[in-house]
Amino acid sequence: MGITRRLFLISGVTLGGGLAIAAGGIGTYVGIHDRLQHQRTGAVDDEGYLVNLWIRIAPDDTITVLIPHTDMGQGSPTGLAQIVADELDARWDQIRIELAPVDTAYANGKPLEGYVTEMLPVPGWADAFAEKAFFRIADMMNMQMTGGSTAIRFTGWDNMRQAAAVARDMLVRAAAQKLSVEVANLVCSEGVISDPASGRLLTFGNVSAAAAALSPKKDVLPKKPDAYNFIGTSMPREDIPRKVFAQETYGIDADVADMQYAAVSRVPVFGALLDSVSNERDIRARRGVTDVVALDRAVAVVADNPWRAEQAVRAIQFSVRAHANQQVSSASLEQEQRDALAGKLDNGFDIGDVDTAFSNAATTIEAEYFVPYLAHAAMEPLNATVWRQDDKLHVACGVQNPLMARAHVAQVADLPIEEVVMHAHAMGGGFGRRVSFSMTGDVPLNWLSDAVQIALTRDVPVKTTWSREQDMQHDMYRPMVLAQFKGALDSRGIPVAWQSKSFINEANVRAVQSPYSIEHQRVDFAGTHQIVPTGFWRAVEHSQHGFFKESFIDELAQAAGRDPLQFRLSLLGQDSAEARTLKKVAEMAGWRTEVDRRGRSMGCAVVHSFGSTVAQISEVSRGANGVRVHRVWCAVDSGRVINPQAATAQVQGAVHFALSAVLYGKCDIHAGAVKQSNYHDYRMVTLRDAPRVEVALLKSDNPIGGFGEVGVPPLAAAVCNALAVVEDRTRRLPLIG
Amino acid sequence: MISLTLNNELITLDVEPEMPLLWVLREELGLRGTKFGCGIGMCGACTVHMNGQPVRSCSLPVSGAEGQRVTTIEALGSPEAPHPVQTAWINKQVPQCGYCQSGMQMAVASLLASNASPTDKQIDAAITNICRCGTYDRIREAIHQAAKDLA
C-alpha cells in the first residue's frame, strides 16, 4: 500500500489536464487555483513517459488512463478509457485503467460545475461547509467526486477527450520530427504513426519521450464523430472479470498486517448522547476482545475477529441520556411538514396569474402526495480501516469523494491534511451514501468518524465495520416529503393552472418544475429543520418530485378524460426530448389505456434529470399477492452514448432500485430512531418480483447526459399511474408494507 | 477443534463452534471473496456450497459444517478455467458494483448443478439473493446462457 513514487511523479506533471479546463464559471476558478501549478512543472518524467494529468504513454506502448472517479458499479472507467483511446487513435489492447491517486490534481472543478448547476445552488453548499470550517468555496469544488452522473459527461467529454487529442497531436508532431516529414503526410491509427510514402512506422511508445519534450498546443480539435472507433461501441467493462472471479478488493476486504476489528453500537435516537456502560468488565472478558471504546454517541468493541467484536458490542448494556428527540415519530414529522406547508412559503417560480386562473377554471383538482424516508442499503456495509505508518494516518475505505473524506479524517484526527493518506477502494454500492456532504449539514461520513476515533485509541490497525443494522439506522436518508398540488382545467379539458407546494430542505427548482406548457404556474416550498439526517439518494430530489409531478399530470389527464400519454404530448414541443422519448416508449410497449385480459394496465411517466430524458411505461396488475410490475419499457435521450451496453445496464438497474422503493421502501421513525433494521423489514426487489426491463437509447444530438441516476425518477409515477387505471390512485409510497 | 473440507483441502480450526462459517472463511482463513451483507441470511452475498448445496454462510455456525465439504467462490473457477456461470456472467456483462455477485454466482452454479435447464419460475424460486444495483435482467439472461453452455 502507499502511494508509489511513480504515481507521485505523475500527479506532479500535467499538460492536457491544464489545457482541458473550460472557460467560465467554477471550472476556471479551480483551474487557476490548482492546475496551473501542475502545468508549469513539465511534461516528462525521468523514465521517458509522455504524461499528462489523465494519460500516461509509456515507451513499451502501454497507455494508462488515470481515472479520478472511484468505482461503485457504473462502469464509467471503461467509458472514460474509450474516449481516450478514440481521441488518441490507440488500440484497445494498449489501454490500461488505473485509479488516480487521491490528490487535488485530480479534483474535478468541471464535474462539480455541472453538478452544481444542475442539482444545487452553490450558496447552499457554501453554507454547509463554511459552518464546518472545512474549506473555502474553492476548496469545496476541489473534490474527487463520483456522483451526480458526472464522470462521462464532464470528466470524460469535457476534459479527458481534450487531453487525449492534445497528446495525440504531440505524438504525431514528434513522429514528424523523427521521420523528417510534414505532419500532414503522416497517418495515425491503432497506436501507430506511419509515413505511407516511405512505409516507415513509429509506435506511440517510440515517440513518447520525444513528444513529451514538445509543448502542447491549445487549439487541437477533437475527432469528428464519423471517425469514432470506440465511442458508441459496447466495449466490455474492464472491471467485470475482476468482479466475477472475486478479485476486486472492496474497502471491507482491506488487509493490513496485525489489524484488529471494531464493531459499533450507536445510540439509536438521533442527537442523543451515550450516558454510561454498565457491563464493561464482562465484555472485556470475552474471547478475543481487546478494548471497549466509548464515543459521544456510540460504544465500540475492538477484538481479534469481526464476529467476536460484533457479538460483544451487541452484549453491551449502555444507557442513553434523555433527549427531546425521543418524542419524535413519523407522524409528528409529517404533521410538522403539513404545518409548514400551511405557513409561510418560499417561492420557487411564479408564471402568469395562477390565482385568477383558478378562479376562472372549469375544473379544479387537488392532491397530496407523500414519500417516506429511505435508506440507501448498499450491499457492502459501511467500513474503514485506519492505521499509522511512516508518521502518517492511513485510511482504506470506499467513498464517493476520497479527497473530502481525507479532509474529514484530518479534521476528526486533528491532523494536517498532508498527514492523512487515503487508499480508495471499490465500493459495494454507493447510491449517494458514500458522499462526504449532505444538504442538511449532517455528515454522511459518520462511520468514518467512528473508525478514526476508535483507531486513534489503539496502536494497531483497526478495521471498523458497521453491521447492517447500524447501516440502516444511521444513514443519511432520502428526505421524507409531503407535497400538495392543485391544478385547473378549462372547459375544453386543457390544463390552465398548476400549483405545487412541497416540503424541501434545499429547493432544487429544476427537479420540481414540470416540462409541460401550462400558462399559469406557481411552485412554492417550505422547509424547517427536522431531526432525521438526510442526504443524497440516487437521483436526489428527482426521485421524489418525479413521482409527484408525473402523478399529478396523470390526474389532470384522467380528470380531462384523456389518454395520459397523448395528453402529455399535447403539452410538449414535438421535438422536445420528452415528446420524442414518450413516442418511442409508447411504440416499444404497444401503449394502451385499457386493461388487458390478464388484468394488466399501463402507466407512463417522463422525467429529465442529470442531462438525460427518460420516458417509462410500466405494465402492472394487482393480484392476491399485491402489486406486480410485470414489465418496464424505457426510452432514453442522453445525447451521444459512449458505451450502450453499460448505459443500458444503468437504466435497467435504476428501475429495480426504484421499484424496491415504490413497493417496499420506508424508514419509520419511532421515538426518535429508525425502526427498520435489516433486509427483512426493509425489503428489496429480487428476481421473483423484478420486472423485465427493456431500454432503447435514442439517437440524439443533445449534449451528452448522465446515466447512473436517470432511470430512477419516472418509475414510481409510471407504476402508480398504471394502477390508477384500475383502482383508486395511490398517492403515498410504498405500495406494500 | 473443528474439521471440514474447504475447497478440497482438509482443515482444522480452533474457533467457537457458533462462529458463522462466513467469518471463519473471511478472517480465520483469509478467503475474502465471500461477502458479508446482512448477517441474517436475507441477502445471499455470503452464499457458499456445502456438499454442493447453497448455504448462507453468515447464518451457518461453523459447527454445522463439521466434516462437510465446503466450496467457496475462490474454487468455483478462475480466469484460466472459468466455471460456465462465470463465462456467462462476463459475456452478459452482469456485475455493476459486483459485491453481491460471488454469492449470486454460487447460488446459480448450485441451481444449474441440480437443474440443468431451469425455467424462469424455477429461477425465481431458487435465486433469492439481493442485488442492490438491480442487475436482475442480465442475471436471468446469464443463467439461461450458462444452462445452454452446460448442455
Side-chain angles (χ1 to χ4, degrees), chain A residues 619-634:
Chain A
E619 188 181 54
V620 175
S621 67
R622 188 184 281 276
N625 302 322
V627 177
R628 176 77 209 238
V629 180
H630 302 273
R631 296 181 73 176
V632 176
W633 295 266
C634 312

Side-chain angles (χ1 to χ4, degrees), chain A residues 73 237 243-244 250 252-253 255 261 287 305 307-308 376 381 468 645 649-650 653 656 678 685 687 693, chain B residues 14 16 20 26-28 32 35-38 78 93 96-99 105 132-134 136-138 140:
Chain A
R237 278 172 52 171
K243 289 170 176 173
V244 164
Y250 300 90
I252 205 167
D253 304 322
D255 196 2
Y261 302 84
R287 178 171 174 182
N305 172 295
W307 175 78
R308 291 185 185 122
H376 295 78
R468 173 60 54 197
Q645 70 85 4
Q650 286 301 300
H656 300 300
N678 207 318
V685 162
L687 275 166
V693 183
Chain B
D14 169 25
E16 300 87 322
R26 285 183 59 84
E27 306 303 339
E28 302 297 313
R32 293 201 169 91
K35 302 301 187 205
F36 165 54
C38 68
S78 64
Q93 295 279 292
Q96 290 188 24
C97 91
Y99 194 79
Q105 291 181 101
R132 186 65 171 134
C133 299
Y136 298 120
D137 295 277
R138 293 184 182 196
R140 192 182 293 283

Side-chain angles (χ1 to χ4, degrees), chain A residues 71-74 235-241 243-250 252-255 259 261 287 304-308 314 375-381 426-429 431 463 465-469 537-538 628 644-646 648-650 652-654 656-657 660-661 678-680 682-694, chain B residues 14-20 23-24 26-28 30-45 58 73-74 76-83 85-102 104-105 108 120-121 123-141 143:
Chain A
D71 177 53
M72 54 182 180
Q74 330 84 311
M235 304 304 291
R237 278 172 52 171
E238 61 89 27
D239 55 318
I240 281 182
K243 289 170 176 173
V244 164
F245 296 110
Q247 292 163 339
E248 185 68 281
T249 310
Y250 300 90
I252 205 167
D253 304 322
D255 196 2
M259 117 184 124
Y261 302 84
R287 178 171 174 182
D304 61 354
N305 172 295
W307 175 78
R308 291 185 185 122
R314 285 170 191 241
H376 295 78
M379 292 298 293
E380 180 196 5
M427 287 167 272
F431 315 117
K463 180 190 286 179
T465 305
W466 274 13
S467 64
R468 173 60 54 197
E469 290 80 4
W537 191 92
R538 197 173 188 177
R628 176 77 209 238
Q645 70 85 4
T648 298
Q650 286 301 300
Q652 289 176 316
H656 300 300
F657 186 93
S660 288
N678 207 318
Y679 293 123
H680 68 289
Y682 191 73
R683 279 178 66 190
M684 295 288 138
V685 162
T686 60
L687 275 166
R688 191 189 295 261
D689 43 7
R692 252 175 70 203
V693 183
E694 281 168 51
Chain B
D14 169 25
V15 294
E16 300 87 322
E18 65 271 25
M19 186 184 287
W23 298 110
V24 173
R26 285 183 59 84
E27 306 303 339
E28 302 297 313
L31 294 177
R32 293 201 169 91
T34 305
K35 302 301 187 205
F36 165 54
C38 68
I40 59 169
M42 283 292 299
C43 78
C58 76
I73 184 74
E74 284 84 357
L76 185 71
S78 64
E80 297 72 34
H83 186 280
V85 168
Q86 293 174 312
T87 306
W89 244 242
I90 292 170
N91 288 343
K92 295 290 177 188
Q93 295 279 292
V94 173
Q96 290 188 24
C97 91
Y99 194 79
C100 73
Q101 302 291 352
S102 295
M104 196 70 81
Q105 291 181 101
V108 170
D120 280 335
K121 266 220 156 84
I123 291 170
D124 290 348
I127 310 300
T128 56
N129 299 38
I130 293 171
C131 171
R132 186 65 171 134
C133 299
T135 61
Y136 298 120
D137 295 277
R138 293 184 182 196
I139 287 171
R140 192 182 293 283
E141 281 177 45
I143 294 172

Side-chain angles (χ1 to χ4, degrees), chain A residues 161-229:
Chain A
R161 186 167 63 120
Q162 201 53 244
V166 168
R168 178 189 182 277
D169 171 74
M170 293 167 78
L171 292 164
V172 175
R173 280 191 286 136
Q177 279 182 6
K178 257 197 171 157
L179 300 171
S180 303
V181 293
E182 293 291 311
V183 165
N185 294 336
L186 294 175
V187 175
C188 177
S189 171
E190 299 192 10
V192 173
I193 302 159
S194 58
D195 172 23
S198 66
R200 289 175 301 170
L201 307 170
L202 289 168
T203 68
F204 284 0
N206 295 152
V207 293
S208 64
L214 301 172
S215 25
K217 276 194 190 163
K218 292 189 176 179
D219 53 356
V220 182
L221 289 176
K223 260 184 171 177
K224 293 219 162 62
D226 56 10
Y228 288 150
N229 296 316

Side-chain angles (χ1 to χ4, degrees), chain A residues 128 131 438-443 476 505-506 529-530 532-535:
Chain A
E131 276 171 25
S438 71
M439 29 204 156
T440 46
D442 295 300
V443 182
M476 299 290 126
N505 284 310
E506 189 154 1
H529 177 74
Q530 296 200 298
V532 180
T534 53

